[in-house]
Amino acid sequence: MKKLKPFLVILVALIFIMSGCTASSGENLIFGSFYSIQLKGVSARSALKKIHKTLVEIENQISTVIETSDVYKINQAKVGEPVKIGKHTLELFKASMELYELTDKAFNPAVYPLVELWSFSPDKLYNEVEEIPPHEDIIELLQIAQMELFQLDEESQTITKSHDNAKLDFGGIAKGYAIDKVKELVKDYQALINIGGDILPYSRKANIGVTHPRENGLFGVVNLKDLIISTSGDYERYYIIDGTRYSHIIGKNGYPASLNEFDIISASVIGEKGMYCDALATAIIVSGLDWAENIEQLGYSALVIIQNTTKGEEYYNIIGDIQFEPSRSAYRKNINL
Amino acid sequence: MSQVGRRIEKTSIFDHYKNNKMFFVWDIAAIILIVAAIVASIFMLSGKTSGEYVEIYHKGNLLEVHPLHENKTIEIEIEGHNTITIKDAKVYVSHADCPDKLCVKSRPIKNGGERIICAPNGLVVIIRSDNDIDGITGGRQ
């Protein structure tokens, strides 16, 4: 028994350490959506606190509704008035410029004045929309929906506008950026990170359900490890007028995307960088299937769901390498587990 | 071998503990700790209930857990007022005093991992099930 004593002490210590290694954020809120993080590793709880702090820091810099945020100040600023920005706004602005060029302007954070016009901005989401905006207003705002109207001065860390009404919104890239930042904080852990539906299983495998864009439940299940998945869809925020669905993703012509037969209504992009996944998912919806094939060259894959409005059906296409099970088999698997 | 060693060989195990109280106390302490740790681990690993259930969170804190297969109406009053209805194994927000009403407009949820969010009132409603997938991408989030 005496010889066993050290082993007992070690065993007890191990059991306690192991049971203290798993931590969950619960279902928390950020960017007007949810986040949920599970960590396995030493001091998981303090890591979660750091993560929460980082997420709040990002939101406080890039929110379009928090009046002290950089983005709010930029959107309110007049021509030639430099606005001092924080590190997150700076990083997001630089990445946005890169992705704006890369996607041939399909991913465009400067489209925000049109998002407001179409009543998809957070302050207008509660409005009941009965008619679409006049065509002339759309054309007018298209002129200011350009990233070229914002100038970054890295030295002074400021952004200056060249049109009073030009406005920015990093909403199409923020969740992906946040995942990239959280990834840096969980290097020593096994983690499942879910920020508003952008998901990263880190150092572990995960089965990720893809929301069905037209029915309740899932379209299918993607098997993933150490890669991020981000989905954009015309069903996330929309309203229907005279039988036409108008979604929050605004196309290059100033009208919502996915209005036509055989348009893409959902794009899930998988890859290394959350920001890219996020922006490319939006760009695929805006630019269509032919353009979508370009993402493979960038090292990204996608599951795209296309509508056939005449038949009332949806079908899917896979670009690159994805382990995907469509819903029937996915449900069967789910039930049998 | 010392005399002490020989004496122990001759005595019963109870005598040994009587003669060495400190060791006895530590043994008991270790056993209690092991049992406590095992019970705690089983409790943590097994979750709260089996089957499908509905969890309601306010800003990361779990408020309530309800079975999915029991029809009921739940009133939540913290930052605002939300009425959550569980009916025929589906969950929806039937009433809310938030400005955007996105939670009320959300489609009813029925599968493990599906959520309804009311960001203005700080609420997340999620279905958990034994056959949970690890996460859902896309949706009104």
Side-chain angles (χ1 to χ4, degrees), chain A residues 29 114 123 138-139 145 192 222 263:
Chain A
L29 291 147
L114 280 156
D123 57 327
I138 293 168
I139 298 303
L192 184 65
V222 172
D263 274 353

Side-chain angles (χ1 to χ4, degrees), chain A residues 12 15 19 27-29 33-34 126 192 196-197 204 206-209 211-212 215-217 231 235-236 331 334, chain B residues 23 34 37 44 57 59-60 99-100 107 111 114-115 117 122 124 128 131 133-141:
Chain A
V12 170
I15 291 171
S19 56
E27 296 291 316
N28 222 319
L29 291 147
S33 185
F34 74 93
Y126 51 85
L192 184 65
R204 54 163 284 180
N207 288 321
I208 309 298
T211 301
H212 198 298
E215 294 169 15
N216 282 341
T231 298
Y235 57 92
E236 291 174 311
Y331 272 122
N334 216 3
Chain B
F23 187 39
I34 291 170
M44 281 194 274
Y57 286 84
K59 293 188 172 167
D100 58 23
R107 293 188 291 198
N111 299 306
E114 287 186 318
R115 292 175 176 83
I117 295 138
V124 179
R128 305 279 191 204
N131 47 28
I133 49 166
D134 299 302
I136 295 179
T137 181
R140 183 178 277 157
Q141 293 162 342

Side-chain angles (χ1 to χ4, degrees), chain B residues 28-80:
Chain B
I28 297 290
I31 289 164
I32 289 171
L33 281 174
I34 291 170
V35 172
I38 290 171
V39 170
S41 307
I42 291 169
F43 181 75
M44 281 194 274
L45 289 171
S46 64
K48 285 172 191 63
T49 54
S50 61
E52 294 174 304
Y53 52 98
V54 180
E55 289 181 349
I56 303 166
Y57 286 84
H58 176 255
K59 293 188 172 167
N61 300 314
L62 183 61
L63 297 178
E64 297 186 17
V65 183
H66 298 274
L68 179 64
H69 295 275
E70 247 179 64
N71 290 354
K72 62 165 78 172
T73 308
I74 304 142
E75 306 288 345
I76 303 286
E77 185 107 40
I78 301 181
E79 284 182 54

